[in-house]
Amino acid sequence: MLKRVCCLIACVALLGAALVVPSQAATPRCDCDTVLQVWVDGWGQTLFFDEGTPNQRAQGPMRLNRIVRSLPGLAWGATRTALSVNPFREPFINFEPLARGFARTAENILGHLQIDEQGNSVYPLTSTWYIADQCHMEHPQFWFIYDFRQCPFESARQLNDFIEALLAHTGHRTVALTSHSQGGIIAMTYLAMFGSRRLDTFILANSAFQGVDLVGRLFTRQFGIDRHSAAAFMGINPRWTRFLPNLGNAVYVGMFDYLMDLYIIPQLATMPIVWAFLPTDYFNEAVRLWGDDPRLQHVLQGARRYHREVLGRSEQLLRQAMRNGTHVAILASYNNAPIPVSRGVQYQSDRLIGTARMSGGARVAPFGEVLPAGSGRHRSPDGIIDASTAMLPNHTWFVRDNWHCANVMYDLRMWIIHSNTQPTVWQHADFPQFLQHPGNGGQAVPLG
């Protein structure tokens, strides 16, 4: 009896070896010093392909020929609006033709990206990630391709598949995950769903992981422009925008009132990702305004989940990743005026995302101003930023005068990725907490 039991155990062991050893031989563990880098980019940076056609062709979010085709209709709508001026009527001008012209223009340019009420692409477009055929020891950076319109949870699932396939392909055990702009939403959702077990490093670079005020203000109907915010954005003297508070605002507000109903809600708001761009303090009001629209019920269900499980738990997720040994860093830009979508918009930004949002809550002076006199180890030399209120004050870097791109942060990112310990803003003289855009296409340098 004992001999039979021993034979049975031996057979099971041999069978297990037969199953396990070949798989390990096919993808042996790689012990090189190379750090695999996975890059998750933002809105409009992924490729789409027509399906079912002999010659598949790339489809970006915008094409010049679509823009050119739209110009006559837009000009006609603007002309009809201009001819409708009547000072003895309220309102004194009919903005609907202009708004319809913009809606048709947007449809021509972005119509192929439509999402239906169930979150499916209206047109036959798709995006498929793949592992690039490259030597990872010489070229360690891999781009994750995803459908930037879809639900963050679906993108995060695909990102997990991509990372697992990449690790199996290379024999590595972890990757350094860097996300930019919308990519931060996908990366944070991945962190919420799958944790940091596969992540050696986690970097948010000019990321929208806390939302975008521009989207929040539009979806809560906070339209309007003042002369100072417009002048700051264009970099001109406010005297050149002195007519904006009257004529400019009349056109802008009137047009957007129509445009929200004609295009933005039926076309853009059906994209699940759009609702992830709403900061927490705008989300409930936006839902109150648009939540009864039957076209949005499916997308709002996912949006509520994202705000509850990801955006609302951002700091907890980042700190848990650090406790698990993942190196975490947040990179943000400042000293740029934001797009002036509403009156009184004077916050610091990278021209698209607010600095306070992308830094996880740093205290920031209004654009063109400085904070009240004071001192502190996390206060910027120019008096604009107090990083002590950020989610991770010791692990958050700021680059003055940098626009939305992350190119000037390359050296900083590489130092973080190749650091043997959790990097902090105090460790390296070349990478203090506050840096400056060099202005010549080079890399960010310490802010003097």
Side-chain angles (χ1 to χ4, degrees), residues 293-314:
D293 193 318
R295 296 167 295 188
L296 302 180
Q297 298 312 303
H298 178 79
V299 71
L300 285 177
Q301 181 178 356
R304 290 186 179 95
R305 180 189 171 194
Y306 171 79
H307 278 259
R308 181 178 65 252
E309 298 181 11
V310 183
L311 195 151
R313 298 176 58 234
S314 295

Side-chain angles (χ1 to χ4, degrees), residues 211-222:
V212 180
D213 290 276
L214 165 67
V215 179
R217 290 175 184 271
L218 288 179
F219 274 68
T220 53
R221 287 193 179 274
Q222 297 183 47

Side-chain angles (χ1 to χ4, degrees), residues 20-48:
V20 173
V21 172
S23 64
Q24 291 179 339
T27 55
R29 195 175 78 180
C30 180
D31 292 321
C32 70
D33 294 330
T34 303
V35 179
L36 292 182
Q37 303 167 35
V38 173
W39 179 268
V40 186
D41 220 325
W43 203 93
Q45 299 301 310
T46 51
L47 295 177
F48 293 86

Side-chain angles (χ1 to χ4, degrees), residues 384-422:
I384 295 176
I385 308 287
D386 178 3
S388 64
T389 59
M391 287 181 184
L392 305 175
N394 292 318
H395 313 287
T396 305
W397 284 260
F398 298 83
V399 182
R400 179 186 169 108
D401 297 331
N402 184 42
W403 286 18
H404 189 54
C405 74
N407 293 340
V408 300
M409 301 172 172
Y410 178 81
D411 285 351
L412 171 59
R413 296 200 321 266
M414 290 304 102
W415 171 69
I416 293 169
I417 286 172
H418 291 98
S419 178
N420 293 323
T421 61
Q422 170 63 59

Side-chain angles (χ1 to χ4, degrees), residues 176-395:
L177 183 62
T178 299
S179 58
H180 172 247
S181 193
Q182 176 187 313
I185 294 173
I186 310 306
M188 288 299 300
T189 307
Y190 169 89
L191 201 60
M193 294 178 69
F194 302 101
S196 59
R197 181 174 62 94
R198 295 298 199 182
L199 304 182
D200 174 81
T201 306
F202 185 86
I203 299 176
L204 299 167
N206 285 357
S207 165
F209 80 108
Q210 290 295 287
V212 180
D213 290 276
L214 165 67
V215 179
R217 290 175 184 271
L218 288 179
F219 274 68
T220 53
R221 287 193 179 274
Q222 297 183 47
F223 312 135
I225 310 175
D226 64 48
R227 59 187 296 189
H228 297 287
S229 59
F233 180 75
M234 293 184 287
I236 60 177
N237 192 299
R239 66 189 178 90
W240 297 108
T241 58
R242 61 183 180 275
F243 295 115
L244 274 176
N246 300 314
L247 179 60
N249 265 309
V251 174
Y252 180 78
V253 174
M255 180 188 69
F256 258 101
D257 269 335
Y258 282 105
L259 201 56
M260 286 295 294
D261 298 308
L262 290 173
Y263 179 76
I264 294 178
I265 294 302
Q267 301 290 342
L268 293 183
T270 54
M271 295 184 183
I273 191 60
V274 169
W275 292 87
F277 284 118
L278 268 75
T280 300
D281 43 323
Y282 292 98
F283 183 72
N284 289 336
E285 176 61 13
V287 172
R288 187 189 69 79
L289 288 172
W290 310 107
D292 293 334
D293 193 318
R295 296 167 295 188
L296 302 180
Q297 298 312 303
H298 178 79
V299 71
L300 285 177
Q301 181 178 356
R304 290 186 179 95
R305 180 189 171 194
Y306 171 79
H307 278 259
R308 181 178 65 252
E309 298 181 11
V310 183
L311 195 151
R313 298 176 58 234
S314 295
E315 183 172 358
Q316 177 185 343
L317 292 170
L318 293 173
R319 291 191 179 277
Q320 182 60 54
M322 293 176 65
R323 286 193 292 269
N324 292 341
T326 299
H327 299 167
V328 175
I330 299 175
L331 316 182
S333 298
Y334 75 104
N335 204 43
N336 295 289
I339 299 173
V341 299
S342 60
R343 295 180 182 177
V345 176
Q346 294 289 327
Y347 55 86
Q348 298 283 341
S349 76
D350 64 357
R351 286 190 170 258
L352 181 61
I353 305 174
T355 303
R357 303 286 184 190
M358 72 178 91
S359 63
R363 184 184 177 207
V364 182
F367 182 79
E369 301 179 21
V370 297
L371 295 171
S375 62
R377 64 199 306 248
H378 291 291
R379 184 184 174 92
S380 62
D382 53 21
I384 295 176
I385 308 287
D386 178 3
S388 64
T389 59
M391 287 181 184
L392 305 175
N394 292 318
H395 313 287

